[in-house]
Amino acid sequence: MSPEKQFIKNYNASDYEVPLTTVDMAIFSIIDQQLHVLLLKRDALPEKDKLALPGGFIDLKNDNDLEETALRKLYEKTGVELPYLEQVESIGNGSRDPRGWSVTILYFALIDITKINKKLLSNTDWHPMEESEKLSLAFDHNILLQKAIKRLRSKTLYTALPIALLPKKFTLTELQTIFEIILDKKLPVKSFRRRVVDAKVVVGTDETKISGKRFAQLFKSTGIDKDFHFPRPLQD
Amino acid sequence: MSPEKQFIKNYNASDYEVPLTTVDMAIFSIIDQQLHVLLLKRDALPEKDKLALPGGFIDLKNDNDLEETALRKLYEKTGVELPYLEQVESIGNGSRDPRGWSVTILYFALIDITKINKKLLSNTDWHPMEESEKLSLAFDHNILLQKAIKRLRSKTLYTALPIALLPKKFTLTELQTIFEIILDKKLPVKSFRRRVVDAKVVVGTDETKISGKRFAQLFKSTGIDKDFHFPRPLQD
DNA sequence: CGAATAGTGTCTTTTAGACACTATCGG
DNA sequence: CCGATAGTGTCTAAAAGACACTATTCG
């Protein structure tokens, strides 16, 4: 047996003190024209009964990588299989969890609310962002939520990411509205439309929809390159 | 004793199977007009004798958070106390380390080569990026290095980050040159100077320097907001 | 027709690239 | 004065904001 193989054979992971490592998620969706985040009441100690971001331990047997852990948690809670998923940051220190030094890898996800499996959740699990920021969440989850929303807002300024919150086909007014919800400010109509159409992040379909007073053309995502960004950000 | 305290007392971190968690770093510096990265030959199994990014386990007793782990490793190797340091991403899966499921939190750092404590390193520890990308590094460190350099290049397109690679005072030509080294392309002189001066990321001092044929004005960083970025990126 | 929503025309502003030009030094 | 490096003047181009305008539908 080679020294390398011999070493691995004798290696016992618990010989070293390692931190507790978990994956946490900020799952966003638009409900009733408001940005909502999924928060669950913890049913175990520590911090039992407090609201927390969904998350938990990596399943070393079944998760092939960190993203699979995140996708599994998200699927367990929402039934959604293909969210937009992005790693935000890892936070690790000796004080964030009373059980000891712990690291969490924070993800954020965007899902189209129409794709959620409602049997898995109660209505009270979705919290408007505005209220969530005032709640006292478990552990350091207020900080995690702030980091996730900051990333979402920042990406909304220079990408077309919020498309992931809408169904396949949508009107440009609908798209603009969710940008305005996320950024909490009005955007100029002409610039917005020119921006997304000229950059070919969306294309018109031949279908229209009568939402309010008159028809509106339906557009769909072109599934543009994942790290596309506009030449200039929206004005801050 | 409250149920919460009772629970913590009885809690034993090793009851759960957790991944091996480490911090790895890509430490960049400019040497002889080339971008270099610090690589160390591993002196222990596994992957003994292969080149690897500096990194290792979190010291649960002494490191207060992940950033301290990164700073400690960097200080141990280079003697530099105030690098530019940024978390890139965490990579975790069951196959990147033969010892089992492992997670690494990847950081990148930029340091001014004149600040390095040369006693700690041999000359052969710094490798030009161009060569490093062709080497076979330990574990998945080739991938980690690619992710770090990609982040550095991307930030160089829309921030003034490479200032961190230079001493306190520098000429605009020197600054432009390191941008060109990182991006591996020439930049238009007029645009470059206008960009950094108009945005006030640098200000002129009253000192000059005779580097080549004639004097050049020395500039210094204004220590602008850490997440400042220019309205438009450099053309790609 | 009027109110409401969808959508456009076009002028200005900002900031980057192009490129020819001037400035200052050593030899 | 020449060559090299530092640095500027100014035109053009791209893409965003401002804002007045037209278009379509319902009642």
Side-chain angles (χ1 to χ4, degrees), chain A residues 64-168:
Chain A
N64 287 313
D65 58 34
L66 288 172
E67 192 164 310
E68 278 190 24
T69 305
L71 287 171
R72 175 173 58 80
K73 304 255 172 222
L74 188 129
Y75 181 73
E76 285 168 8
K77 304 301 178 199
T78 65
V80 173
E81 298 203 49
L82 292 169
Y84 173 82
L85 184 67
E86 171 175 327
Q87 196 185 108
V88 178
E89 190 182 333
S90 297
I91 293 88
N93 58 58
S95 55
R96 58 181 300 277
D97 188 312
R99 289 167 288 190
W101 227 104
S102 81
V103 173
T104 189
I105 297 104
L106 173 66
Y107 281 82
F108 88 91
L110 303 182
I111 59 181
D112 165 11
I113 197 70
T114 65
K115 293 213 179 62
I116 291 170
N117 181 341
K118 286 181 180 141
K119 287 173 205 149
L120 298 170
L121 290 170
S122 93
N123 292 333
T124 59
D125 293 329
W126 288 99
H127 298 255
M129 263 311 292
E130 216 175 305
E131 292 173 30
S132 307
E133 294 179 90
K134 293 177 205 144
L135 297 171
S136 167
L137 306 181
F139 308 111
D140 57 355
H141 287 198
N142 282 94
I143 294 168
L144 303 191
L145 181 56
Q146 283 308 312
K147 286 181 188 285
I149 188 71
K150 186 180 167 192
R151 172 72 65 91
L152 171 60
R153 293 208 169 106
S154 150
K155 285 216 142 186
T156 300
L157 288 174
Y158 60 91
T159 73
L161 188 54
I163 289 176
L165 291 161
L166 288 176
K168 279 232 156 42

Side-chain angles (χ1 to χ4, degrees), chain B residues 65-85:
Chain B
D65 58 33
L66 288 172
E67 192 165 309
E68 280 191 20
T69 305
L71 287 171
R72 176 174 56 81
K73 304 255 173 222
L74 188 128
Y75 182 72
E76 284 168 9
K77 304 302 176 199
T78 66
V80 173
E81 298 203 50
L82 293 169
Y84 174 83
L85 184 66

